[in-house]
Amino acid sequence: METKIVRVNASSPDPDVIAQAADILRSGGLVAFPTETVYGLGANALDGAAVQKIFAAKGRPASNPVIVHVAEIASARDLVAEWPKHAERLAERFWPGPLTLVLPKTKRVPEIVTAGAATVALRVPAHPVALALLRAAQLPIAAPSANRSTALSPTRAEHVLSGLDGLIDLVLDGGPVPGGLESTVLDLSEKQPRILRPGLVKPAELDAVLGPVMRPAHAWTVSSEPKRSPGMLERHYAPRTPLECVANSAARVRDLERQGLRIGWVAFSDDASQNRDSAAKLRLLSADPGTYAKELYAVLHELDAAGLDRIVVALPPATEEWLAVRDRLRRAATFFADGN
Ligand code: TXA
Ligand code: MG
């Protein structure tokens, strides 16, 4: 199949382009589009055969359910068997935005979307292109990140094409996305709200609405997590180049360079100043977690394409502000040296 790429203005998308994309979705095709977090690979969520094409294009295991995107709270309520008060409060506070709520589903949601589970994951994305597409298609859109399974998530249209060119109908190229990291997935299907995947909405922001929420089972350790959220495979979000995440990255880079390896180095400016004559391909990232998240995947995509032997990443601080970034680095890494 030939994959079409169409540029679209990120803040005021051309209605004709959106209408074209909506037609493809309504006829069972696949469209990649920008959201405020990462690019999603969309299909009509009510059409099991269309959603099956997402799994095929991504090489995604059938056991990993996908998020359903809707244009507004009312459309989310149509797909769930229960809409508890705290769901309403969270939706009012965070939608449109990077919070995904897991709730008991109705029969309208095909089994393939939820990988057979009795719950469905829902969110209203905060990106003009995604919202325009949802409104034009008048459908809920099932959309995982638009990458091959376990690979790095795409934050630009080029990243989508590098994994999925020839496998999907259309890419809406809205330029780099503003967030750069996936949504927070919060399970509301049980008594205690629980974060299944840390993301752009921070735990403390959820606490402020709900009272203390449960953190991911192993937020600070390397050990494997119970597969409540089946997408949380240990190795995931990973470049092809082996990646190490270590506390003293300057020393590690020096060691590896002595061994003759070509290194990509993702560091804070403090680390970089400790090894100024390094020949590594150095990418400095911000000490602010939000800015860091926005840049991380683009930097990893770039270094991964550079034909290096190793990517060394300076370990970010073990504070909750960095929870989502550290989670993704842990999953991207072949070696993760946790300071704890
Ligand atoms: O920011 C995002 O969430 C992006 C954009 C495109 O919206 N989407 C995304 O989707 O990251 P994906 O499929 O790459 O990750 C979805 C995560 C997976 O960890 C999956 O297992 C979990 O959500 N998930 C989906 N449905 C679920 C359900 N019913 N119960 C528990 N976890 C679920
Ligand atoms: Mg993904």
Side-chain angles (χ1 to χ4, degrees):
M1 147 190 332
E2 200 197 324
T3 300
K4 250 180 103 177
I5 307 129
V6 182
R7 277 225 41 112
V8 57
N9 187 301
S11 48
S12 59
D14 177 351
D16 291 341
V17 172
I18 296 295
Q20 248 188 69
D23 278 348
I24 293 175
L25 290 175
R26 271 196 301 268
S27 53
L30 299 184
V31 176
F33 59 95
T35 80
E36 81 280 28
T37 60
V38 300
Y39 274 75
L41 177 59
N44 176 359
L46 304 179
D47 175 352
V51 175
Q52 172 55 41
K53 293 183 191 167
I54 294 180
F55 284 85
K58 284 183 59 99
R60 184 178 179 105
S63 57
N64 191 3
V66 299
I67 296 174
V68 176
H69 299 69
V70 289
E72 70 231 336
I73 294 180
S75 315
R77 296 184 63 159
D78 284 347
L79 299 174
V80 298
E82 289 162 37
W83 183 253
K85 274 211 182 71
H86 53 276
E88 180 73 18
R89 287 215 304 277
L90 290 164
E92 292 275 352
R93 165 74 181 75
F94 294 105
W95 285 357
L99 178 66
T100 296
L101 301 178
V102 174
L103 288 156
K105 79 176 191 77
T106 62
K107 285 209 185 68
R108 285 186 71 208
V109 182
E111 297 270 297
I112 184 169
V113 170
T114 65
T119 56
V120 61
L122 293 161
R123 82 179 190 100
V124 178
H127 192 292
V129 173
L131 285 172
L133 186 58
L134 283 162
R135 291 191 186 117
Q138 300 208 332
L139 289 170
I141 301 178
S145 51
N147 50 274
R148 296 275 301 164
S149 185
T150 77
L152 286 172
S153 296
T155 58
R156 299 165 187 234
E158 305 88 271
H159 303 156
V160 176
L161 285 175
S162 75
L164 297 175
D165 195 11
L167 299 171
I168 65 180
D169 297 287
L170 175 68
V171 182
L172 290 176
D173 178 359
V177 295
L181 209 70
E182 298 82 355
S183 65
T184 302
V185 179
L186 182 70
D187 186 1
L188 294 181
S189 69
E190 291 181 1
K191 268 227 151 58
Q192 284 275 0
R194 186 154 90 90
I195 298 170
L196 299 178
R197 178 179 70 181
L200 285 181
V201 171
K202 301 204 170 63
E205 297 179 84
L206 298 174
D207 293 344
V209 177
L210 296 178
V213 300
M214 287 165 76
R215 286 12 186 192
H218 295 279
W220 301 114
T221 62
V222 191
S223 59
S224 69
E225 175 165 320
K227 297 292 182 277
R228 279 282 302 148
S229 191
M232 299 302 274
L233 304 172
E234 272 305 300
R235 194 160 157 77
H236 209 122
Y237 309 103
R240 289 170 306 253
T241 315
L243 181 149
E244 298 182 10
C245 187
V246 296
N248 189 347
S249 65
R252 184 60 182 155
V253 166
R254 202 172 291 120
D255 276 0
L256 292 170
E257 285 188 320
R258 278 203 203 101
Q259 296 170 37
L261 299 187
R262 286 157 312 152
I263 309 298
W265 186 13
V266 182
F268 300 103
S269 52
D270 286 0
D271 310 292
S273 65
Q274 291 167 41
N275 186 358
R276 290 201 189 282
D277 17 285
S278 163
K281 207 173 169 68
L282 175 64
R283 292 293 174 267
L284 289 179
L285 284 184
S286 170
D288 166 67
T291 313
Y292 186 107
K294 186 177 160 69
E295 302 289 328
L296 175 64
Y297 286 148
V299 161
L300 293 181
H301 275 286
E302 185 202 353
L303 293 177
D304 199 23
L308 301 162
D309 298 309
R310 198 73 54 90
I311 298 172
V312 177
V313 180
L315 182 70
T319 61
E320 212 164 64
E321 287 194 286
W322 289 93
L323 185 63
V325 163
R326 284 174 58 111
D327 171 78
R328 301 308 188 275
L329 286 173
R330 185 181 309 112
R331 291 170 206 287
T334 46
F335 180 76
F336 186 89
D338 201 325
N340 297 301

